[in-house]
Amino acid sequence: GGGGRSGTGGGGGNGGSGVIITKELNKASGVWSMQSQFSAKSQGTWPKFFVSFNAAIFTVAGGGGGGFGDGGGGGAGGALLAPAYPLTTGQTISITVGGAGAGSPAGDGGNTTFCGPITMTSNGGGQGGANNNPGTPGGSGGGAGHASSNNTSNTSGGTATQSPVGPIPATGYGNAGGTGFLKLGIPSPHGGGNYAIGGGGGGAGGAGGNAPTCSAPGNNGGAGGNGLDVTPTFGSAPQPFYGPTNGLYAGGGGGGIQPGPPAHAGGPAGPGGGGAGAHTGTGCNAVASTGSGGGGGYASQSGGNGSDGIVLIKLPSAATPFASVSPGTNTLTPTPGCTSVAKFTVSGNLILA
């Protein structure tokens, strides 16, 4: 307590703070004492309780670059969709996002890997073939460059290499690229000169289009293959984590062509982020972070770049409080029902504390 007043001088001092002392009298057999619990928690040795749950996981590899000189469209990165992947808290999962294939010179896309208890690997998309060359195999195959002989379609599109992954199960998505075509000395009403066309790159949702073999006006470069729609799994568009393609990913690149307008145009981009083929200049680049293929180039021009892959992870309400992502470029977005979606556009970690 405070000091008492001395004589008739100044007031006494303030009293001290109170204190509570707890004494554990007894405990049940097999139960840790309070002192033991406090010590174990302080030292980080207190037992942790883990939560088991299923997550939906979608992985897409990097898309291939478009081919040079009336080249084929780049193939999209292979895709894997696991609607019920078993996970538990208390682990950190490494994720590698595959890089884009370049368009000059053309290159294949990089693999995307989810290194959980069961590894999921999406194969990079194949590059589009340059003039006179076939497309390259990949998650989805690259489209072929224009054919090497007059009036033929003797250049082939690249085959698809993506396969499903067990025993999760995870369904694999990938398709072949389209064939090229060449016809020399077409009449001027159809554009004049040589009719040289690249095939479309394959997409996760459909094969790349073959180059048309008729030079009539309106027959354009091979179309990029369709991408894959993930909105049935991750929710209807728009969502903040979808980006500009609204839940559609891994479209193939369109094939390049000559001659160009007004008679002909480059192959259309595959829905889901593919780059359009060129009828003048270089092929169009794919939409960023969609795992799509770049468009084929015109005449002596290079193709467009593919795009980096992406990983989406839908976490249930039981797991959301324990989840975080790194680095900060990646995101964790709350969704209805106390669930969340982790989006990886660069390599990093999913942390389940």
Side-chain angles (χ1 to χ4, degrees), residues 83-108:
Y85 186 110
L87 289 171
T88 60
T89 56
Q91 60 183 314
T92 296
I93 297 170
S94 174
I95 294 170
T96 300
V97 176
S104 178
D108 299 334

Side-chain angles (χ1 to χ4, degrees), residues 68-70 129-134 144-149 154-155 182:
F68 169 89
D70 310 317
N131 48 17
N132 305 334
N133 285 282
H146 74 66
S148 58
S149 300
N154 67 356
T155 49
L182 174 67

Side-chain angles (χ1 to χ4, degrees), residues 48 50-53 85-94 114-118 322-324 349-353:
K48 293 183 178 180
F50 301 109
V51 177
S52 298
F53 59 93
Y85 186 110
L87 289 171
T88 60
T89 56
Q91 60 183 314
T92 296
I93 297 170
S94 174
F114 179 88
C115 294
I118 303 167
F322 303 97
S324 61
N349 293 309
L350 173 66
I351 303 156
L352 299 168

